[in-house]
């Protein structure tokens, strides 16, 4: 941990605080995305996807 903090140019305290903040953000995001997924509808997804033209992909998008 000391070496990683040094590579980042921060103190160990800052490193730990940043690591905790990143973990909290990840968990919060996971919960948020889970809540969004619960509101989703497969039927609506399929309806939107059906609007996409069935054409050959352009060479620059392959």
């Amino acid at each position: 941990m000391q070496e990683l903090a040094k590579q980042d140019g921060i103190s160990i305290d800052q490193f730990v605080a940043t690591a905790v903040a990143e973990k909290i953000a990840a968990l919060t995001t996971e919960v948020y995305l889970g809540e969004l997924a619960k509101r989703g509808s497969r039927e609506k997804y399929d309806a939107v996807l059906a609007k996409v033209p069935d054409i050959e992909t352009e060479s620059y998008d392959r």
Side-chain angles (χ1 to χ4, degrees):
M1 184 170 51
Q2 210 171 17
E3 185 61 35
L4 293 172
K6 185 178 178 181
Q7 287 175 8
D8 233 11
I10 58 176
S11 69
I12 292 175
D13 288 345
Q14 288 173 311
F15 184 84
V16 170
T18 301
V20 170
E22 288 176 7
K23 181 65 175 182
I24 290 170
L27 293 174
T28 304
T29 300
E30 184 178 350
V31 170
Y32 171 73
L33 291 176
E35 291 300 318
L36 281 180
K38 288 179 188 175
R39 296 187 325 200
S41 160
R42 182 63 183 205
E43 291 78 24
K44 289 180 181 178
Y45 169 79
D46 288 339
V48 170
L49 194 58
K51 294 179 182 180
V52 177
D54 188 17
I55 58 174
E56 184 67 27
T57 307
E58 298 289 342
S59 61
Y60 56 83
D61 273 347
R62 291 187 189 146

